[in-house]
């Protein structure tokens, strides 16, 4: 998101009217750089900082001069993203809010659609239909459909939980892997908790929703991919690097499994990557997250959080700056 278009991207006139009602804010004032004296003067008088993707990072020195700052409301995943020293602000009592739950909604919707289309073998059917100008032989469709399919969710993140919630109405067996989650919490989310290898071996569709950390980088590797049943589909809307891409390419080359990849490593892929041409791969250009009209949901989240802060209420979606600093 270009910071200069932040207001237009996030807020419609209704949201701007509400924002003006609860705060003294100039929607036309968007700081794309904090290097000049005028921008630093604006920052120095700011009590609530509203920021979003690609906003300029506030240095520790600039933050130290922002003595009136009391809150950071971030229209994205982690408020500390726009701060060089979030711990120092936390120590001053500055509080923060994130919009992870708002951004999780379109990712979960994309994932649900992909899971259901994968169960119907829709992507392969479309390719066959286009190539042969004829429907496939009905004898080859016996295993098509979503009834009683097993869907594996890796990671009970905000997105993972939203996907689990969307899967509830369907006749699916849902399994979940998350080492931080107790069994009773998984049951409450509508899933059976499994170790990662067991999930990979059981699921017809595996959807990845774990954060990218040192522990999860390359987590889905040769062994896990080899465990997937013939005809299974891997869906990645998390981060490309949670999958060992060389291992994924090797497995996909066999034609044994399929993949729907909204994220890759690197991103975008090199033009020579074999993933562009494999018939069992669907590539989308990181479109699962908030885009276009969906950005207004982030804006509505920002307005609601600013209104809560102005009313002396705690944030609905607090983001601990001290914890963020240690990530």
């Amino acid at each position: 998101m270009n910071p200069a278009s932040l207001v237009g991207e996030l807020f419609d006139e209704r949201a701007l009217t509400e924002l003006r009602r609860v705060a003294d804010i100039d929607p036309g004032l968007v700081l794309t750089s904090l290097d000049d004296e005028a921008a630093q003067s604006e920052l120095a008088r700011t009590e609530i900082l509203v920021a979003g993707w690609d906003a300029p990072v506030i240095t520790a020195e600039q933050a130290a001069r922002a003595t009136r700052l009391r809150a950071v409301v971030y229209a994205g995943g982690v408020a500390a993203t726009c701060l060089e020293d979030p711990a120092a602000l936390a120590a001053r009592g500055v509080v923060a809010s994130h919009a992870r739950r708002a951004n999780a909604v379109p990712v979960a919707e994309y994932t649900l659609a992909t899971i259901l289309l994968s169960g119907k073998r829709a992507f392969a059917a479309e390719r066959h239909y286009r190539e042969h100008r004829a429907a496939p032989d009905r004898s080859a469709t016996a295993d098509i459909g979503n009834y009683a399919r097993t869907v594996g969710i890796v990671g009970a993140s905000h997105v993972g939980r939203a996907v689990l919630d969307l899967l509830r109405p369907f006749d699916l067996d849902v399994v979940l892997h998350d080492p931080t989650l107790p069994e009773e919490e998984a049951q409450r989310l509508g899933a059976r908790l499994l170790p990662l290898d067991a999930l990979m071996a059981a699921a017809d569709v595996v959807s990845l929703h774990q954060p990218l950390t040192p522990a999860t980088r390359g987590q889905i590797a040769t062994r896990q991919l080899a465990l997937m049943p013939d005809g299974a589909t891997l869906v990645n809307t998390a981060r490309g690097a949670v999958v060992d891409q060389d291992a994924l390419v090797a497995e996909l080359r066999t034609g044994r499994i399929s993949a729907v990849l909204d994220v890759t490593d690197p991103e975008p892929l090199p033009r020579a990557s074999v993933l562009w041409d494999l018939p069992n791969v669907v590539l989308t250009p990181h479109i699962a997250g908030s885009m276009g009209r969906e950005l207004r949901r982030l804006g509505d989240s920002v307005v609601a959080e600013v209104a809560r802060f102005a009313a002396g209420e705690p944030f609905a979606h607090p983001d601990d700056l001290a914890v963020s600093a240690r990530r």
Side-chain angles (χ1 to χ4, degrees):
M1 183 186 301
N2 184 337
S5 64
L6 180 66
V7 171
E9 294 275 2
L10 291 175
F11 307 112
D12 58 17
E13 194 54 45
R14 170 194 51 82
L16 285 175
T17 298
E18 176 63 12
L19 199 55
R20 292 190 193 98
R21 186 185 70 80
V22 299
D24 178 15
I25 188 168
D26 177 5
L29 177 62
V30 180
L31 303 181
T32 60
S33 170
L34 297 172
D35 295 334
D36 61 84
E37 187 174 331
Q40 292 179 31
S41 176
E42 291 292 346
L43 183 62
R45 70 185 191 91
T46 296
E47 294 179 284
I48 304 175
L49 177 69
V50 175
W53 296 322
D54 295 333
V57 174
I58 299 173
T59 68
E61 181 182 356
Q62 291 164 347
R65 293 201 296 269
T67 56
R68 299 184 64 191
L69 186 63
R70 298 167 55 203
V72 178
V73 179
Y74 191 69
V78 180
T81 302
C82 64
L83 305 169
E84 182 181 70
D85 189 358
L89 289 175
R92 282 169 38 188
V94 175
V95 294
S97 169
H98 64 79
R100 287 194 289 274
R101 290 188 182 178
N103 192 49
V105 173
V107 184
E109 292 171 344
Y110 173 102
T111 302
L112 173 66
T114 298
I115 289 171
L116 296 178
L117 289 171
S118 296
K120 288 288 284 188
R121 304 284 195 265
F123 302 115
E126 190 277 338
R127 287 192 297 270
H128 182 281
Y129 201 30
R130 183 181 296 274
E131 180 180 351
H132 297 281
R133 306 295 196 268
D137 185 344
R138 288 290 177 181
S139 64
T141 64
D143 192 44
I144 286 177
N146 286 293
Y147 183 72
R149 286 275 184 207
T150 299
V151 174
I153 303 297
V154 180
S157 59
H158 283 87
V159 174
R161 289 168 184 257
V163 173
L164 288 167
D165 191 51
L166 291 179
L167 289 172
R168 286 180 184 273
F170 300 95
D171 293 314
L172 297 166
D173 177 26
V174 181
V175 294
L176 170 67
H177 171 73
D178 190 312
T180 69
L181 213 63
E183 177 65 44
E184 55 271 22
E185 177 68 5
Q187 292 176 359
R188 190 188 68 77
L189 293 171
R192 292 185 292 118
L193 200 62
L194 289 180
L196 180 59
D197 284 4
L199 179 147
M200 299 296 293
D204 299 296
V205 180
V206 175
S207 190
L208 306 180
H209 303 288
Q210 68 270 55
L212 179 60
T213 67
T216 64
R217 182 176 291 275
Q219 183 180 40
I220 309 302
T222 300
R223 186 180 78 250
Q224 289 75 29
L225 294 167
L227 288 169
M228 295 180 71
D230 290 354
T233 301
L234 181 75
V235 178
N236 191 4
T237 59
R239 289 290 182 268
V242 302
V243 180
D244 179 331
Q245 194 152 281
D246 290 340
L248 178 61
V249 168
E251 193 65 58
L252 289 168
R253 278 182 183 273
T254 70
R256 197 182 64 80
I257 66 170
S258 300
V260 179
L261 307 175
D262 188 54
V263 290
T264 55
D265 183 32
E267 192 174 293
L269 288 168
R271 295 180 65 86
S273 172
V274 69
L275 290 174
W276 291 111
D277 300 311
L278 287 175
N280 51 336
V281 177
V282 174
L283 293 172
T284 54
H286 206 143
I287 61 171
S290 297
M291 299 178 66
R293 295 176 62 89
E294 295 162 338
L295 293 170
R296 301 292 171 87
R297 185 184 285 111
L298 304 185
D300 287 348
S301 176
V302 166
V303 172
E305 292 290 62
V306 171
R308 287 188 187 95
F309 187 82
E313 300 173 1
F315 286 135
H317 308 295
D319 205 350
D320 190 329
L321 295 178
V323 172
S324 296
R326 296 195 294 270
R327 288 173 181 163

